[in-house]
Amino acid sequence: MEDMNLNAPHSMGTTIIGVTYAGGVILGADSRTSTGMYVANRASDKITQLDDNIYLCRSGSAADTQIISDYVRYFLHQHTIQQGQPATVKVASNLIRLLSYQNKSMLQAGMIVGGWDKHEGGQIYSIPLGGTILKQPFAIGGSGSSYLYGFFDQAWKEEMTKEEAESLVVKAVSLAIARDGASGGVVRTVTINADGVTRKFYPGDSLPLWHDEVVAHNSFLDILAGSSSPEPMST
Amino acid sequence: MQNLMGSPMEMELERTLYPYVTGSSVLAIKYKYGILMAADTGGSYGSTLRFKDIQRIKTIGKHSLLGAGGEISDFQEILKYLDELIVYDNMWDDGNSLGPKELHNYLARVMYDRRNKFNPLWNSLVLAGIKNGEKYLGVVTMLGVHYKDNYVATGFGNYLAVPILRKEWRDDLSIEEAMKILEKCMRILLYRDRSSINKYQIAEITDIEATIFSPYSLKTFWGFSAFKEPAKSAEGSW
């Protein structure tokens, strides 16, 4: 533990997920940003807005994905002015791909684009390292995703309701956080459909407990006393 | 920023990169009336079988099919530029159109040029087509090696499929015979190539049209008695 490598580049170990459902898409992510072994930010927001109706899940180098999303947000803004109508999810995804592919030797960015437009409805595009672009009914990414391939193979269904899809995403990120040291913190979700965009926040204590995890307490003294504790003070 | 020619606009030392999302073997065989091509729909990410519905065979213009193994992002880029080539060709509006031979040559030049700059497109390409009744089947690798033959395979297929194709190919195969030979090879690759998956796309090109069929899977056989009772003939055998 001598060298915690506190000067390592900020990387988002991460678990990111994008899922289509009957009316739109749901994007989900954890909130841990690490610098080597140190957690630089325990409540980061990895789901970034590119346009009113299009969001980006970021994994890999924090710096790389931030600058890519800044550029694409700027390009999309111009594109919207020129077109006179909102940009499509396909265009946003291909702009991300262009930057990713053309700078592949320098970038470490695995991204998932999700959004809703009136032409094609809800869509999810995966853009892993190297700049491949793939349209998928659902996508997972980041180091935590290794633990979710089996889970999604079993749990994924076409045409889920919004509630089913949301609980699937939250369950999945929560499972990944349980096993991936590089993922942690809270679960954030963003739901995008014809009616607009909704952000949700699931703090650690609201998530289900998995194998070998135990109920949280304020203090062992409460357990000894055998009674439930009052609400903690907020500062 | 780069174009297909691989030369960066600024003075920058580009080195050979490594592939991230890769496709496995591509097989192709000439039969009496055309050419059959087959590839699985998998995209590996290192040892993880990450993507399972990638189309690795595409039609190019009216006369050709292009199948690719190797880095998928480079294949997607090649398709974009071939698209542009075909559009420019159509713009001449002179009744002529780029055939498989021209496309094969173009790709060979591009791949070799990128290799010389130490910035390869990390693909093995299979180009199949028919123009004016003449069948054409060729390969281009990431090193710029290119050749044509009556049957080809890339990747693991070079080692496992080509010997079978060599033994069983004939000049006047029916489509059913050709399909059976390809499927025999695909099944062996499924058993023995770790990066293969059991989900394939067959593509067919004849003088009339090119078709890429929907994905399907092959049955596999595990019923050998030696598989069921491995310790029977040699105790503690593995």
Side-chain angles (χ1 to χ4, degrees):
Chain A
M1 265 286 272
E2 303 95 40
D3 181 15
M4 286 204 286
N5 200 11
L6 295 170
N7 294 314
H10 283 35
S11 123
M12 297 166 306
T14 309
T15 306
I16 49 173
I17 300 180
V19 141
T20 58
Y21 71 94
V25 299
I26 305 197
L27 301 176
D30 75 307
S31 71
R32 178 171 286 186
T33 302
S34 22
T35 318
M37 279 281 138
Y38 175 67
V39 177
N41 187 351
R42 65 179 169 108
S44 20
D45 183 7
K46 303 181 189 182
I47 309 177
T48 306
Q49 189 185 32
L50 294 178
D51 204 345
D52 292 337
N53 51 327
I54 308 169
Y55 279 69
L56 175 72
C57 290
R58 303 178 293 113
S59 79
S61 156
D64 289 350
T65 57
Q66 282 171 8
I67 201 73
I68 290 172
S69 60
D70 283 347
Y71 269 117
V72 172
R73 191 179 307 117
Y74 165 64
F75 294 147
L76 281 179
H77 187 209
Q78 287 193 319
H79 182 69
T80 306
I81 292 168
Q82 286 167 354
Q83 293 279 98
Q85 50 184 328
T88 58
V89 185
K90 193 178 216 180
V91 163
S93 313
N94 274 286
L95 286 170
I96 298 275
R97 180 206 83 95
L98 261 176
L99 286 175
S100 215
Y101 181 77
Q102 287 173 349
N103 298 289
K104 63 158 81 188
S105 58
M106 293 179 281
L107 295 172
Q108 221 183 74
M111 293 167 286
I112 299 176
V113 179
W116 186 96
D117 60 51
K118 67 177 192 225
H119 307 281
E120 302 274 326
Q123 300 143 73
I124 293 285
Y125 290 86
S126 201
I127 300 142
L129 262 50
T132 312
I133 184 168
L134 281 168
K135 183 170 188 297
Q136 300 182 288
F138 71 89
I140 56 178
S143 58
S145 68
S146 306
Y147 308 96
L148 296 177
Y149 286 99
F151 175 69
F152 272 88
D153 277 348
Q154 190 234 35
W156 162 260
K157 293 181 323 221
E158 293 267 341
E159 298 295 307
M160 286 184 283
T161 66
K162 177 154 75 97
E163 290 68 32
E164 286 177 320
E166 176 105 18
S167 78
L168 183 73
V169 168
V170 173
K171 191 173 179 187
V173 179
S174 162
L175 281 167
I177 287 174
R179 291 292 185 176
D180 179 29
S183 299
V186 306
V187 179
R188 294 190 194 276
T189 63
V190 172
T191 306
I192 313 172
N193 51 37
D195 305 324
V197 178
T198 317
R199 258 194 187 277
K200 287 225 177 74
F201 171 84
Y202 298 83
D205 44 335
S206 72
L207 300 171
L209 289 171
W210 304 117
H211 178 60
D212 263 347
E213 293 182 336
V214 293
V215 177
H217 296 272
N218 278 322
S219 164
F220 189 65
L221 300 169
D222 298 330
I223 301 173
L224 286 176
S227 56
S228 57
S229 51
E231 281 297 324
M233 285 195 331
S234 51
T235 25
Chain B
M1 304 287 260
Q2 301 184 334
N3 55 26
L4 195 69
M5 299 321 289
S7 42
M9 314 239 275
E10 322 86 42
M11 250 294 280
E12 192 189 277
L13 279 169
E14 288 282 342
R15 302 179 331 274
T16 306
L17 309 151
Y18 25 80
Y20 291 101
V21 181
T22 53
S24 162
S25 317
V26 181
L27 307 173
I29 186 172
K30 279 187 195 170
Y31 70 98
K32 189 162 185 195
Y33 298 114
I35 308 180
L36 278 183
M37 194 185 292
D40 69 24
T41 61
S44 297
Y45 191 77
S47 59
T48 304
L49 302 171
R50 187 168 178 184
F51 301 108
K52 289 194 173 179
D53 72 345
I54 301 194
Q55 252 208 17
R56 295 197 288 117
I57 305 178
K58 296 279 189 183
T59 52
I60 313 286
K62 288 183 290 204
H63 302 286
S64 311
L65 289 173
L66 180 66
E71 169 66 46
I72 301 297
S73 64
D74 286 344
F75 177 50
Q76 289 179 339
E77 192 74 358
I78 290 171
L79 289 174
K80 275 200 189 318
Y81 282 96
L82 282 179
D83 216 22
E84 227 178 87
L85 238 196
I86 299 289
V87 165
Y88 273 115
D89 186 47
N90 288 339
M91 268 164 57
W92 285 104
D93 202 18
D94 57 2
N96 193 17
S97 48
L98 285 172
K101 180 168 167 229
E102 290 85 56
L103 288 172
H104 188 226
N105 184 249
Y106 172 78
L107 289 169
R109 286 297 109 228
V110 167
M111 300 297 268
Y112 183 60
D113 185 64
R114 289 287 297 257
R115 167 263 190 197
N116 286 338
K117 294 177 170 137
F118 283 93
N119 183 207
L121 289 160
W122 207 287
N123 293 115
S124 303
L125 303 167
V126 176
L127 200 292
I130 311 193
K131 198 172 167 197
N132 302 329
E134 232 182 277
K135 298 182 285 244
Y136 191 97
L137 179 57
V139 168
V140 188
T141 72
M142 63 184 271
L143 298 177
V145 172
H146 56 281
Y147 53 90
K148 44 191 218 270
D149 208 339
N150 295 316
Y151 45 82
V152 298
T154 66
F156 245 74
N158 269 312
Y159 305 103
L160 297 176
V162 166
I164 299 172
L165 292 164
R166 214 173 259 149
K167 183 151 187 237
E168 309 209 358
W169 188 83
R170 276 177 3 254
D171 204 2
D172 57 350
L173 290 169
S174 68
I175 191 175
E176 290 84 14
E177 291 173 311
M179 192 85 80
K180 285 232 161 66
I181 297 172
L182 272 191
E183 287 182 337
K184 186 175 180 182
C185 296
M186 278 143 63
R187 195 175 275 108
I188 288 174
L189 285 168
L190 180 62
Y191 292 141
R192 299 294 183 176
D193 177 3
R194 260 175 49 168
S195 52
S196 62
I197 63 166
N198 193 359
K199 193 172 167 195
Y200 305 96
Q201 274 194 302
I202 303 263
E204 178 197 354
I205 187 159
T206 61
D207 223 351
I208 307 160
E209 60 175 359
T211 322
I212 304 180
F213 296 102
S214 292
Y216 76 106
S217 290
L218 286 171
K219 284 196 181 163
T220 51
F221 183 68
W222 301 89
F224 293 106
S225 62
F227 284 11
K228 291 193 217 167
E229 293 168 287
K232 190 163 185 214
S233 21
E235 207 161 287
S237 86
W238 49 85

